[in-house]
Amino acid sequence: MSERKATIASRVGLHARPASIFAAAVGELPLEVTISLETDPAEDAMDASSILSLMSLGAANGDVVVLRAEGDGADAALDSLVKILETDLDAE
């Protein structure tokens, strides 16, 4: 299983527009991706393609999240998702 950490850059955290953009990107992947706060146990990870899950995660600006995926292309996929999370999507 591949794993990456990312720091939430959007000023409002992973909420509304940033969550929508991120969930859409995850939904385009042929992999199941999970997300959790760095402080949460891995078994509490949520479906990263679900806007509802992302918003209920409560990740604020500056919080560190952990992304996990397994399968062909998981490393590249997670790298691209980290870039999205580490971009202030509210400034665009």
Side-chain angles (χ1 to χ4, degrees):
M1 177 154 307
S2 298
E3 180 178 303
R4 298 286 186 284
K5 291 184 181 179
T7 303
I8 304 298
S10 291
R11 287 173 275 166
V12 297
L14 197 51
H15 189 71
R17 182 171 181 262
S20 175
I21 292 168
F22 183 74
V26 174
E28 293 176 3
L29 299 172
L31 304 165
E32 287 188 24
V33 180
T34 63
I35 187 169
S36 63
L37 292 173
E38 182 181 39
T39 55
D40 291 346
E43 56 268 13
D44 288 349
M46 300 180 185
D47 177 2
S49 67
S50 165
I51 294 174
L52 223 61
S53 291
L54 294 173
M55 292 177 68
S56 67
L57 185 65
N61 175 272
D63 284 352
V64 176
V65 295
V66 180
L67 301 174
R68 294 179 184 87
E70 194 168 2
D72 290 339
D75 288 325
L78 292 180
D79 288 341
S80 69
L81 294 173
V82 165
K83 288 179 186 174
I84 293 170
L85 292 177
E86 293 188 340
T87 299
D88 185 357
L89 299 172
D90 298 314
E92 295 181 355

Coordinates of all heavy atoms in Angstrom, one line a residue:
M1 N 0.8 -1.2 0.0 CA 0.0 0.0 0.0 C 0.9 1.2 0.0 O 1.8 1.4 0.8 CB -0.9 0.0 1.2 CG -1.7 1.3 1.3 SD -3.3 1.2 2.1 CE -4.2 -0.1 1.4
S2 N 0.6 2.2 -0.9 CA 1.3 3.4 -1.0 C 0.6 4.4 0.0 O -0.6 4.4 0.2 CB 1.3 4.0 -2.4 OG 1.9 3.1 -3.3
E3 N 1.5 5.3 0.5 CA 1.0 6.3 1.4 C 1.7 7.6 1.2 O 2.9 7.6 0.9 CB 1.2 5.8 2.8 CG 0.8 6.7 3.9 CD 1.0 6.1 5.3 OE1 0.5 5.0 5.6 OE2 1.7 6.7 6.1
R4 N 1.0 8.7 1.3 CA 1.6 10.1 1.2 C 0.9 11.0 2.2 O -0.3 10.8 2.6 CB 1.3 10.7 -0.2 CG 1.9 10.0 -1.3 CD 3.4 10.2 -1.4 NE 4.0 9.6 -2.6 CZ 4.2 8.3 -2.8 NH1 3.8 7.4 -1.9 NH2 4.7 7.9 -4.0
K5 N 1.7 11.9 2.7 CA 1.2 12.9 3.6 C 1.1 14.2 2.9 O 1.9 14.5 2.0 CB 2.1 13.1 4.9 CG 2.0 11.9 5.8 CD 2.8 12.1 7.0 CE 2.8 10.8 7.9 NZ 3.5 11.0 9.1
A6 N 0.1 15.0 3.2 CA -0.1 16.3 2.6 C -0.6 17.3 3.6 O -1.4 17.0 4.5 CB -1.1 16.2 1.4
T7 N -0.2 18.6 3.5 CA -0.6 19.6 4.3 C -1.7 20.4 3.6 O -1.4 20.9 2.5 CB 0.5 20.5 4.7 OG1 1.5 19.7 5.4 CG2 0.1 21.6 5.7
I8 N -2.9 20.6 4.2 CA -4.0 21.3 3.5 C -3.6 22.8 3.4 O -3.3 23.5 4.4 CB -5.3 21.1 4.4 CG1 -5.6 19.7 4.6 CG2 -6.4 21.9 3.7 CD1 -5.9 18.9 3.3
A9 N -3.6 23.2 2.1 CA -3.2 24.6 1.8 C -4.4 25.6 1.7 O -4.2 26.8 1.9 CB -2.4 24.7 0.6
S10 N -5.6 25.1 1.3 CA -6.7 26.0 1.1 C -7.1 26.7 2.4 O -7.1 26.1 3.5 CB -7.9 25.2 0.6 OG -7.6 24.8 -0.7
R11 N -7.3 28.0 2.3 CA -7.6 28.8 3.5 C -8.8 28.3 4.3 O -8.9 28.4 5.5 CB -7.8 30.2 3.1 CG -6.5 30.9 2.7 CD -6.8 32.3 2.2 NE -7.0 32.1 0.7 CZ -7.6 33.0 0.0 NH1 -7.9 34.2 0.4 NH2 -7.8 32.8 -1.3
V12 N -9.8 27.7 3.6 CA -11.0 27.2 4.3 C -10.9 25.8 4.7 O -11.8 25.2 5.2 CB -12.3 27.4 3.5 CG1 -12.6 28.9 3.3 CG2 -12.3 26.7 2.2
G13 N -9.7 25.2 4.4 CA -9.5 23.8 4.7 C -10.1 22.9 3.6 O -10.4 23.4 2.5
L14 N -10.3 21.7 3.9 CA -10.9 20.8 2.9 C -12.4 20.8 3.0 O -13.1 19.9 3.5 CB -10.3 19.4 3.1 CG -10.5 18.4 1.9 CD1 -9.9 19.0 0.6 CD2 -9.7 17.1 2.3
H15 N -13.0 21.9 2.5 CA -14.4 22.2 2.6 C -14.9 22.7 1.3 O -14.2 23.4 0.6 CB -14.6 23.2 3.7 CG -16.1 23.3 4.1 ND1 -16.8 22.4 4.7 CD2 -16.9 24.4 3.9 CE1 -18.0 22.8 4.9 NE2 -18.1 24.1 4.4
A16 N -16.2 22.5 1.0 CA -16.9 23.0 -0.2 C -16.1 22.9 -1.5 O -15.9 21.8 -2.0 CB -17.3 24.5 0.1
R17 N -15.6 24.0 -2.0 CA -15.0 24.0 -3.4 C -13.7 23.1 -3.4 O -13.6 22.3 -4.3 CB -14.6 25.4 -3.8 CG -14.0 25.5 -5.2 CD -13.9 26.9 -5.7 NE -13.3 26.9 -7.0 CZ -12.1 27.2 -7.3 NH1 -11.2 27.4 -6.3 NH2 -11.6 27.2 -8.5
P18 N -12.8 23.3 -2.4 CA -11.6 22.4 -2.4 C -12.0 20.9 -2.3 O -11.4 20.1 -3.0 CB -10.8 22.9 -1.2 CG -11.2 24.3 -1.0 CD -12.7 24.3 -1.4
A19 N -12.9 20.6 -1.5 CA -13.4 19.2 -1.4 C -13.9 18.7 -2.7 O -13.7 17.5 -3.1 CB -14.4 19.0 -0.2
S20 N -14.7 19.5 -3.4 CA -15.3 19.1 -4.6 C -14.2 18.8 -5.7 O -14.3 17.8 -6.4 CB -16.3 20.2 -5.1 OG -16.8 19.9 -6.4
I21 N -13.3 19.7 -5.8 CA -12.2 19.6 -6.8 C -11.4 18.3 -6.5 O -11.1 17.5 -7.4 CB -11.3 20.8 -6.8 CG1 -12.0 22.0 -7.3 CG2 -10.0 20.6 -7.6 CD1 -11.4 23.4 -7.1
F22 N -11.1 18.1 -5.2 CA -10.3 16.9 -4.8 C -11.1 15.6 -5.1 O -10.5 14.7 -5.6 CB -9.9 17.0 -3.3 CG -9.0 15.9 -2.9 CD1 -7.7 15.8 -3.3 CD2 -9.5 14.9 -2.1 CE1 -6.9 14.8 -2.9 CE2 -8.7 13.8 -1.7 CZ -7.4 13.8 -2.1
A23 N -12.3 15.6 -4.7 CA -13.1 14.4 -4.8 C -13.3 14.0 -6.3 O -13.3 12.9 -6.7 CB -14.5 14.6 -4.2
A24 N -13.4 15.0 -7.2 CA -13.5 14.8 -8.6 C -12.3 14.2 -9.1 O -12.3 13.3 -10.0 CB -13.9 16.1 -9.3
A25 N -11.1 14.7 -8.7 CA -9.8 14.2 -9.1 C -9.7 12.7 -8.7 O -9.2 11.8 -9.4 CB -8.7 15.0 -8.6
V26 N -10.0 12.4 -7.5 CA -10.0 11.0 -7.0 C -10.9 10.1 -7.7 O -10.6 9.0 -8.1 CB -10.3 11.0 -5.4 CG1 -10.4 9.5 -5.0 CG2 -9.3 11.7 -4.6
G27 N -12.1 10.6 -8.0 CA -13.1 9.8 -8.8 C -12.7 9.4 -10.2 O -13.2 8.4 -10.7
E28 N -11.7 10.2 -10.8 CA -11.2 9.9 -12.1 C -10.2 8.8 -12.1 O -9.8 8.2 -13.1 CB -10.7 11.1 -12.7 CG -11.7 12.2 -13.0 CD -11.1 13.5 -13.6 OE1 -9.9 13.5 -13.8 OE2 -11.8 14.4 -13.8
L29 N -9.7 8.4 -10.9 CA -8.6 7.4 -10.8 C -9.2 6.0 -10.8 O -10.3 5.8 -10.2 CB -7.8 7.6 -9.5 CG -7.1 9.0 -9.4 CD1 -6.5 9.1 -8.0 CD2 -6.0 9.1 -10.5
P30 N -8.5 5.0 -11.3 CA -8.9 3.6 -11.3 C -8.5 2.9 -10.0 O -8.4 1.7 -10.0 CB -8.2 3.0 -12.5 CG -6.9 3.8 -12.6 CD -7.3 5.2 -12.1
L31 N -8.4 3.7 -9.0 CA -7.9 3.2 -7.6 C -8.9 3.6 -6.5 O -9.5 4.7 -6.7 CB -6.5 3.7 -7.3 CG -5.4 3.5 -8.3 CD1 -4.2 4.4 -7.9 CD2 -4.9 2.0 -8.2
E32 N -8.9 2.9 -5.5 CA -9.6 3.3 -4.3 C -8.6 4.1 -3.4 O -7.5 3.6 -3.1 CB -10.2 2.1 -3.5 CG -11.3 1.5 -4.1 CD -12.0 0.5 -3.3 OE1 -11.9 0.5 -2.0 OE2 -12.7 -0.4 -3.9
V33 N -8.9 5.3 -3.1 CA -8.0 6.2 -2.3 C -8.7 6.5 -1.0 O -9.9 6.8 -1.0 CB -7.7 7.5 -3.1 CG1 -6.8 8.4 -2.2 CG2 -7.0 7.2 -4.4
T34 N -8.0 6.4 0.1 CA -8.6 6.8 1.4 C -7.8 8.0 1.9 O -6.7 8.3 1.5 CB -8.5 5.6 2.4 OG1 -7.1 5.3 2.7 CG2 -9.3 4.4 2.0
I35 N -8.5 8.7 2.9 CA -7.9 9.9 3.5 C -8.2 9.9 5.0 O -9.3 9.4 5.4 CB -8.4 11.2 2.8 CG1 -7.7 12.4 3.3 CG2 -9.9 11.3 2.9 CD1 -7.9 13.7 2.5
S36 N -7.3 10.3 5.8 CA -7.5 10.5 7.2 C -6.6 11.6 7.7 O -5.6 12.0 7.1 CB -7.2 9.2 7.9 OG -5.8 8.8 7.8
L37 N -7.0 12.1 8.9 CA -6.1 13.1 9.5 C -4.8 12.3 10.0 O -4.9 11.1 10.4 CB -6.8 13.8 10.7 CG -7.9 14.7 10.3 CD1 -8.6 15.2 11.6 CD2 -7.4 15.9 9.5
E38 N -3.7 13.0 10.0 CA -2.5 12.3 10.4 C -2.6 11.7 11.8 O -2.0 10.7 12.2 CB -1.3 13.3 10.4 CG 0.0 12.7 10.8 CD 1.1 13.8 10.7 OE1 0.9 14.9 11.1 OE2 2.2 13.4 10.3
T39 N -3.4 12.4 12.7 CA -3.5 11.9 14.1 C -4.5 10.8 14.3 O -4.6 10.2 15.3 CB -4.0 13.1 15.0 OG1 -5.2 13.7 14.4 CG2 -2.9 14.2 15.0
D40 N -5.3 10.4 13.2 CA -6.3 9.4 13.3 C -5.7 8.0 12.9 O -4.8 8.0 12.1 CB -7.5 9.6 12.4 CG -8.3 10.8 12.8 OD1 -8.1 11.2 14.0 OD2 -9.1 11.3 12.0
P41 N -6.2 6.9 13.5 CA -5.7 5.6 13.1 C -6.1 5.3 11.7 O -7.1 5.8 11.1 CB -6.4 4.6 14.1 CG -7.4 5.4 14.8 CD -7.2 6.9 14.6
A42 N -5.3 4.5 11.0 CA -5.5 4.1 9.6 C -6.8 3.5 9.4 O -7.5 3.7 8.3 CB -4.4 3.2 9.1
E43 N -7.4 2.7 10.3 CA -8.7 2.1 10.1 C -9.8 3.1 10.1 O -10.9 2.7 9.8 CB -8.9 1.0 11.2 CG -8.8 1.4 12.6 CD -7.4 1.3 13.2 OE1 -6.5 1.0 12.5 OE2 -7.3 1.4 14.4
D44 N -9.6 4.3 10.5 CA -10.6 5.4 10.5 C -10.6 6.1 9.2 O -11.3 7.1 9.0 CB -10.4 6.4 11.6 CG -10.8 5.7 13.0 OD1 -11.4 4.6 13.0 OD2 -10.5 6.4 14.0
A45 N -9.7 5.7 8.2 CA -9.6 6.4 6.9 C -11.0 6.4 6.2 O -11.7 5.4 6.3 CB -8.5 5.8 6.1
M46 N -11.2 7.4 5.4 CA -12.5 7.6 4.7 C -12.3 7.5 3.2 O -11.1 7.8 2.7 CB -13.1 8.9 5.1 CG -13.4 9.1 6.5 SD -14.2 10.7 6.8 CE -14.3 10.7 8.5
D47 N -13.3 7.3 2.5 CA -13.3 7.3 1.0 C -13.0 8.7 0.5 O -13.8 9.6 0.7 CB -14.7 6.8 0.5 CG -14.8 6.8 -1.0 OD1 -13.8 7.2 -1.7 OD2 -15.8 6.5 -1.5
A48 N -11.8 8.9 -0.1 CA -11.4 10.2 -0.6 C -12.2 10.7 -1.8 O -12.1 11.9 -2.2 CB -9.9 10.2 -0.9
S49 N -13.0 9.9 -2.4 CA -13.8 10.3 -3.6 C -15.2 10.9 -3.1 O -15.9 11.3 -4.0 CB -14.0 9.2 -4.6 OG -14.8 8.2 -4.1
S50 N -15.5 10.8 -1.8 CA -16.8 11.2 -1.3 C -16.7 12.7 -0.7 O -15.9 12.9 0.3 CB -17.2 10.3 -0.2 OG -18.3 10.8 0.5
I51 N -17.4 13.6 -1.3 CA -17.4 15.0 -0.8 C -17.9 15.0 0.6 O -17.3 15.7 1.5 CB -18.2 15.9 -1.7 CG1 -17.6 16.0 -3.1 CG2 -18.4 17.3 -1.0 CD1 -18.5 16.8 -4.0
L52 N -18.9 14.2 0.9 CA -19.4 14.1 2.3 C -18.3 13.7 3.3 O -18.2 14.2 4.4 CB -20.6 13.2 2.4 CG -21.8 13.7 3.2 CD1 -22.4 14.9 2.6 CD2 -22.9 12.6 3.2
S53 N -17.6 12.6 2.9 CA -16.5 12.1 3.8 C -15.5 13.2 4.0 O -15.0 13.4 5.1 CB -15.9 10.9 3.2 OG -16.8 9.8 3.2
L54 N -15.1 13.9 2.9 CA -14.0 14.9 3.0 C -14.5 16.0 3.9 O -13.7 16.5 4.7 CB -13.7 15.4 1.6 CG -13.1 14.5 0.6 CD1 -13.0 15.1 -0.8 CD2 -11.7 14.0 1.1
M55 N -15.7 16.5 3.8 CA -16.2 17.6 4.6 C -16.3 17.1 6.1 O -16.0 17.9 7.0 CB -17.5 18.1 4.0 CG -17.2 18.8 2.7 SD -18.6 19.5 1.9 CE -19.1 20.8 3.0
S56 N -16.7 15.9 6.3 CA -16.9 15.4 7.7 C -15.5 15.2 8.3 O -15.4 15.1 9.6 CB -17.8 14.2 7.8 OG -17.1 13.1 7.1
L57 N -14.5 15.0 7.5 CA -13.1 14.8 8.0 C -12.7 16.0 8.9 O -12.0 15.9 9.9 CB -12.1 14.6 6.9 CG -10.7 14.3 7.2 CD1 -10.6 13.0 7.9 CD2 -9.9 14.3 5.9
G58 N -13.1 17.2 8.5 CA -12.8 18.4 9.2 C -11.4 18.9 9.1 O -10.9 19.5 10.0
A59 N -10.8 18.6 8.0 CA -9.4 19.0 7.8 C -9.3 20.5 7.5 O -9.9 21.0 6.6 CB -8.7 18.3 6.7
A60 N -8.6 21.3 8.4 CA -8.5 22.7 8.3 C -7.1 23.1 7.7 O -6.3 22.2 7.5 CB -8.6 23.3 9.7
N61 N -7.0 24.4 7.3 CA -5.8 24.9 6.7 C -4.6 24.5 7.7 O -4.7 24.7 8.9 CB -5.9 26.4 6.6 CG -4.6 27.0 6.1 OD1 -3.8 27.4 6.9 ND2 -4.4 27.1 4.8
G62 N -3.6 23.9 7.1 CA -2.4 23.6 7.9 C -2.4 22.2 8.5 O -1.4 21.7 9.0
D63 N -3.6 21.5 8.5 CA -3.7 20.1 9.0 C -3.0 19.2 8.0 O -2.9 19.4 6.8 CB -5.1 19.7 9.1 CG -5.9 20.2 10.3 OD1 -5.2 20.9 11.1 OD2 -7.1 20.0 10.4
V64 N -2.4 18.1 8.6 CA -1.7 17.1 7.8 C -2.7 15.9 7.6 O -3.2 15.4 8.6 CB -0.4 16.7 8.4 CG1 0.2 15.5 7.6 CG2 0.6 17.9 8.5
V65 N -2.9 15.5 6.4 CA -3.7 14.3 6.1 C -2.8 13.2 5.5 O -1.8 13.5 5.0 CB -4.9 14.6 5.2 CG1 -5.9 15.6 5.8 CG2 -4.4 15.2 3.8
V66 N -3.3 12.0 5.6 CA -2.6 10.8 5.0 C -3.5 10.2 3.9 O -4.7 9.9 4.2 CB -2.3 9.8 6.1 CG1 -1.6 8.6 5.5 CG2 -1.5 10.4 7.2
L67 N -3.0 10.1 2.7 CA -3.6 9.5 1.6 C -3.1 8.1 1.4 O -1.8 7.9 1.5 CB -3.4 10.3 0.3 CG -3.9 11.7 0.3 CD1 -3.4 12.4 -1.0 CD2 -5.4 11.8 0.5
R68 N -3.9 7.1 1.2 CA -3.5 5.7 0.9 C -4.2 5.1 -0.3 O -5.4 5.4 -0.5 CB -3.7 4.8 2.2 CG -3.0 5.2 3.4 CD -3.3 4.3 4.6 NE -2.6 4.8 5.8 CZ -3.1 5.7 6.6 NH1 -4.3 6.2 6.4 NH2 -2.4 6.0 7.7
A69 N -3.4 4.4 -1.0 CA -4.0 3.7 -2.2 C -3.1 2.4 -2.5 O -1.9 2.4 -2.1 CB -4.0 4.6 -3.4
E70 N -3.7 1.5 -3.2 CA -3.0 0.3 -3.5 C -3.3 -0.1 -5.0 O -4.4 0.1 -5.5 CB -3.5 -0.9 -2.6 CG -2.6 -2.1 -2.6 CD -2.9 -3.1 -1.5 OE1 -3.9 -2.8 -0.7 OE2 -2.3 -4.1 -1.4
G71 N -2.3 -0.6 -5.7 CA -2.5 -1.0 -7.0 C -1.5 -0.3 -8.0 O -0.7 0.5 -7.6
D72 N -1.6 -0.7 -9.3 CA -0.8 -0.1 -10.3 C -1.0 1.4 -10.4 O -2.2 1.8 -10.5 CB -1.1 -0.8 -11.7 CG -0.6 -2.2 -11.7 OD1 0.3 -2.6 -10.9 OD2 -1.1 -3.0 -12.6
G73 N 0.0 2.1 -10.4 CA -0.1 3.6 -10.5 C -0.4 4.3 -9.2 O -0.6 5.5 -9.3
A74 N -0.4 3.6 -8.1 CA -0.8 4.3 -6.9 C 0.1 5.4 -6.5 O -0.3 6.5 -6.0 CB -0.9 3.2 -5.7
D75 N 1.4 5.2 -6.6 CA 2.4 6.2 -6.3 C 2.2 7.5 -7.0 O 2.2 8.6 -6.5 CB 3.9 5.7 -6.4 CG 4.2 4.7 -5.4 OD1 3.8 4.8 -4.2 OD2 5.0 3.7 -5.7
A76 N 2.1 7.4 -8.4 CA 1.9 8.6 -9.2 C 0.6 9.2 -8.9 O 0.5 10.5 -8.9 CB 2.0 8.2 -10.7
A77 N -0.5 8.4 -8.7 CA -1.8 9.0 -8.4 C -1.7 9.8 -7.1 O -2.3 10.9 -7.0 CB -2.8 7.9 -8.3
L78 N -1.1 9.2 -6.0 CA -1.0 9.9 -4.8 C -0.2 11.2 -4.9 O -0.6 12.2 -4.3 CB -0.5 9.0 -3.7 CG -1.4 7.8 -3.3 CD1 -0.7 7.0 -2.2 CD2 -2.8 8.3 -2.8
D79 N 0.9 11.1 -5.7 CA 1.7 12.3 -5.9 C 0.8 13.5 -6.5 O 0.9 14.6 -6.1 CB 2.9 12.0 -6.8 CG 3.9 11.2 -6.1 OD1 3.9 11.1 -4.8 OD2 4.8 10.6 -6.8
S80 N 0.0 13.1 -7.4 CA -0.8 14.2 -8.1 C -1.9 14.7 -7.1 O -2.2 15.9 -7.1 CB -1.5 13.6 -9.4 OG -2.5 12.7 -9.1
L81 N -2.4 13.8 -6.3 CA -3.4 14.3 -5.3 C -2.8 15.2 -4.2 O -3.4 16.1 -3.8 CB -4.1 13.1 -4.7 CG -5.0 12.2 -5.6 CD1 -5.5 11.0 -4.9 CD2 -6.1 13.0 -6.2
V82 N -1.6 14.9 -3.8 CA -0.9 15.7 -2.8 C -0.7 17.1 -3.4 O -1.0 18.1 -2.7 CB 0.5 15.1 -2.5 CG1 1.4 16.1 -1.8 CG2 0.3 13.9 -1.6
K83 N -0.4 17.2 -4.7 CA -0.3 18.6 -5.3 C -1.6 19.4 -5.2 O -1.5 20.6 -5.0 CB 0.2 18.4 -6.7 CG 1.6 18.0 -6.9 CD 2.0 17.9 -8.3 CE 3.4 17.3 -8.4 NZ 3.8 17.0 -9.8
I84 N -2.7 18.7 -5.4 CA -4.0 19.4 -5.3 C -4.2 19.9 -3.9 O -4.6 21.0 -3.6 CB -5.1 18.4 -5.7 CG1 -5.0 18.1 -7.2 CG2 -6.5 19.1 -5.4 CD1 -6.0 17.0 -7.7
L85 N -4.0 19.0 -2.9 CA -4.2 19.4 -1.5 C -3.3 20.5 -1.0 O -3.6 21.3 -0.2 CB -4.1 18.2 -0.6 CG -5.1 17.1 -0.7 CD1 -4.8 15.9 0.2 CD2 -6.5 17.7 -0.4
E86 N -2.0 20.5 -1.6 CA -1.1 21.5 -1.1 C -1.1 22.8 -2.0 O -0.2 23.6 -1.9 CB 0.3 20.8 -1.1 CG 0.4 19.8 0.0 CD 1.8 19.2 0.2 OE1 2.7 19.3 -0.7 OE2 2.0 18.6 1.3
T87 N -2.2 23.0 -2.7 CA -2.4 24.2 -3.5 C -3.6 24.9 -2.8 O -4.6 24.3 -2.5 CB -2.8 23.8 -5.0 OG1 -1.7 23.1 -5.5 CG2 -3.1 25.1 -5.8
D88 N -3.5 26.2 -2.7 CA -4.6 27.0 -2.1 C -5.7 27.2 -3.2 O -5.6 28.1 -4.0 CB -4.1 28.4 -1.6 CG -5.2 29.2 -0.9 OD1 -6.4 28.7 -0.9 OD2 -4.9 30.3 -0.5
L89 N -6.6 26.3 -3.2 CA -7.6 26.3 -4.3 C -8.6 27.4 -4.1 O -9.4 27.7 -5.0 CB -8.4 24.9 -4.3 CG -7.5 23.7 -4.6 CD1 -8.3 22.4 -4.3 CD2 -7.0 23.8 -6.0
D90 N -8.6 28.1 -2.9 CA -9.5 29.2 -2.7 C -8.9 30.5 -3.4 O -9.6 31.4 -3.6 CB -9.6 29.5 -1.2 CG -10.3 28.3 -0.5 OD1 -11.3 27.8 -1.0 OD2 -9.8 27.9 0.5
A91 N -7.6 30.5 -3.7 CA -7.0 31.6 -4.3 C -7.1 31.6 -5.8 O -6.8 32.6 -6.5 CB -5.5 31.7 -3.9
E92 N -7.5 30.5 -6.4 CA -7.6 30.4 -7.8 C -9.0 30.9 -8.4 O -9.9 30.9 -7.8 CB -7.4 28.9 -8.3 CG -6.0 28.5 -7.9 CD -5.7 27.1 -8.3 OE1 -6.6 26.4 -8.8 OE2 -4.5 26.6 -8.2

